[in-house]
Every structure is written in C-alpha cells, then in structure tokens.
Amino acid sequence: MTASAPDRYRPETRLVHAGTLRSQFGETSEALFLTQGYVYDNAAQAERRFKNEEPGFQYSRFANPTVAMFEQRMAAFEGAEAARATATGMAAVTLSLTGQLKAGDHVVAPKALFGSCRYIIEDYLPRYGVASTLIDGTDLKQWRNAVRPNTKTFFIETPTNPTLEIIDIAAVAEIAHQAGATLIVDNVFATPIFQSPLALGADCVVYSATKHIDGQGRCLGGIILGSQEFIDKHIHVLLRQTGPSLSPFNAWVMLKGLETLPVRVRQQTDSAATLAVAIAEHPKIARLIYPGRPDHPQAKVAQKQMRGGSTLVAFDIKGGKKAAFRFQDALKLIRISNNLGDAKSLITHPATTTHQRLTQAQRDELGITDGLVRVSVGLEHPDDIVEDVLAALEAV
Ligand SMILES: Cc1ncc(COP(=O)(O)O)c(C=O)c1O
C-alpha cells in the first residue's frame, strides 16, 4: 500500500488526498476495508506485530486501514500530529476527558455545553472521584478563579450548543497552561473549516463527525486530535482496550465526506447568513443569534478566532413554547430534528429536546428560553429556506 502525503498543498487539496492508502489495485476512490482482523504470514510475524517490532494491522478495534485514512486526513487538515477516530462524538468527548483524568483530579468547563457533554462533566466524572466546576465560559475571570491545585483539564465548545456563545480559545488556553492544565475544544459547531483550536493553543480537539463531516445524515462517528504525545499518552491505549472504535464502513463515509466538506460548509454558512439577515428585524422574533453578525455578543472574539460564521442560526420566537411549537409545525421544508450539520435543513427546540435534562433555572441562566429554536441550515436553495421560515412565522 502507498500513502500520499501532500503536505505542501492547500487545506482543500489535503481534504481530497491526504492520508490515502492506495492498494495494489490502484483504485481511485479510497477502499473500504471491511474486516475485523488480519492474517500473518507466519507465527513469528504475528509475534513481531504484537510487540510493535513491525508495522502493520492486527485487529480493527486497534486500527484499520480505512479508519487510518480518515484519521490521517483529519490530522493533516487540522494541523495535528496524530488522531484517533471513535464510534461517536460522545465517545471522543468521554475519552478525551477520562484518558487524562484519575480520582482526585478537577475539571473546569462552561455551563453552556451540549447536554451529554455537561452530563459527563457534571454527573459522570464525579462518580469516579473527579470534581468539576461549571462557570460562565465567556468570563475569563471565572476561569482564573475556578483553578485549583488539582485542576487537570479545561473543556469547552465554541460556538456553544444551542445559544452560539463564543469563548476566547487563545485566552482560555493561556489560563489553562498557567495552571498546568490542558485545554480540550469541541469544535463541532465551528467545523475545521472555520476554526483551528490547536493553532490557538488548545491541546486537544474533538469532533462529532456525525455532524458536518458526514454532512448527509448517515453515520455516527467521532475523532480526537492532538500532538503525538497527547494521543499516545492519553488516548491510544484507552481506545484500544475499551473499544469505542469507529467502524470501517462509517470511517469510509466520513472520509468521502471530507472531500466535499469545504464546499458544503461554505454554502450552508452563506445560506445561514442570508437567513439571519432576512429575519433579524422580524416583529415576531425577540432575539437573533448568529456568529457572523456584528450584533453577536462576542462578535470581536468571533472575528479574532473564526474564519467564517456558522451553519446554525438561533432565534427566540415571541410567545414562548406555544409559539415555538406552532412555528416548527408550520414549516414545510425544514424538518424537526435534534441533529445538525446535515444537507437537509433541520430545526431543534432545545428546551424540550437536547437541553430538557436541565432545570428551568439552569436553562434560564443559559438563555435557553422556551421560545428559542436552532436552525441547522442545509444545502437547499437559500431562497426556499428563507421563504419557509417567513411563511411559518406568519402562522405564529
Ligand atoms: C457540541 C456537540 N458535541 C458532541 C456531540 C455528540 O456527538 P455524537 O452524537 O456523534 O455522539 C454533539 C451532538 O449532538 C454536539 O452537538
């Protein structure tokens, strides 16, 4: 097998070619190696593979050629030395934390997190003796004040789900490093197209590849990226021994998704910006949040660390839950879902779905009002998306 390593090429080119392992058949499109295991020429070779004395594959829970292509292509694009793919985004989040932590350690994270990420930090880790402090991630003073002698890692997502708050990655990385801690960034909402956390000082980046990387609503997947040392020390052995590995089939879908990622994300972002402009002044909307706009609460930070806006738009419909439900039910093109990053436009009511686990007081604190909806803008014609939203607003 041969690997192409076109490091000198621009990012979009790397998303098409980097990491390709071409077999003896010379296939154009990456091969799908749907195999659990590998055979050895002789017993001595098996021994050498297991002792790491010879490169090669042993078992697909450890590594697989199609999964390796996905990992190498993502690492090349992200500017990471190493990457390990996982079965889901939540497996990536969980491993990135548990790989570094042990009983007696402490984690700091914002309160504004995707529901499952908040569960891991607030409920799951404490069961194993890892304490956590949740703060307002946009307030740098709170990060400094939350540090304890046993703080090992900071975890953020930016823009956040669902209120699209922006956290200053470089500033938070500096505070983490001064405290002798690491910074993990969940980069799902920004995508690798618009934000490079490692270049801003983060130690680890995680993705739910389920979202924009697949981009067409098919497979679940995740990936963890960082320095070779970070991956070797914290991730590699845990993934291999505990087993939340990405299936080769899903890796193949993700790998092919990477080829079109920039084209899709840029188109979806342009359409999201168009939607934001079309509804910003609408009398039935109390508040519109879009990271590409100058009226975003953290517009300056967004401008500093992001290369583009977002494929997501959040807005508050006047009239609370009843109005938000009426609005969603009146949509004809945009479908109701909790997912995002799909070619199909999707709408979510976070207060009753992704963030229903939080108390009313916790949601109020985060601005997840009963009227808030989050639209993940897809690849339909932008005029059709805008017309659908405007017509549904009429029905409210
Ligand atoms: C910000 C964020 N992180 C992580 C995840 C988890 O990803 P997955 O559903 O692939 O486990 C999601 C999924 O919705 C998400 O929105």
Side-chain angles (χ1 to χ4, degrees), residues 328-374:
Q328 290 184 99
D329 292 344
L331 291 164
K332 298 267 187 296
L333 176 67
I334 301 171
R335 304 312 305 260
I336 299 169
S337 170
N338 51 289
N339 207 6
L340 62 102
D342 199 306
K344 295 181 172 61
S345 290
L346 303 173
I347 189 160
T348 305
H349 184 248
T352 53
T353 59
T354 53
H355 291 70
Q356 54 83 27
R357 204 181 64 82
L358 301 183
T359 63
Q360 183 72 47
Q362 286 172 327
R363 283 197 296 273
D364 289 347
E365 191 183 10
L366 297 173
I368 305 173
T369 58
D370 287 348
L372 186 80
V373 292
R374 182 198 76 193

Side-chain angles (χ1 to χ4, degrees), residues 2 121 260 267 357:
T2 56
I121 290 169
T260 57
Q267 177 59 52
R357 204 181 64 82

Side-chain angles (χ1 to χ4, degrees), residues 87-93 113-117 155 157-161 186-189 206-211 219-222 338-340 354 374:
T88 64
M90 281 319 302
V93 168
L113 285 180
F114 169 57
S116 300
C117 298
F155 181 93
E157 71 191 37
T158 177
T160 61
N161 182 359
D186 181 337
N187 208 31
V188 164
F189 273 47
V206 292
Y207 289 99
S208 164
T210 314
K211 311 298 189 257
C219 293
L220 297 167
N338 51 289
N339 207 6
L340 62 102
T354 53
R374 182 198 76 193

Side-chain angles (χ1 to χ4, degrees), residues 55-78:
F57 295 93
Q58 295 145 271
Y59 189 55
S60 286
R61 169 154 49 78
F62 310 166
N64 168 282
T66 309
V67 178
M69 284 192 257
F70 172 56
E71 291 170 340
Q72 286 172 26
R73 189 167 291 179
M74 275 298 293
F77 188 65
E78 193 76 41

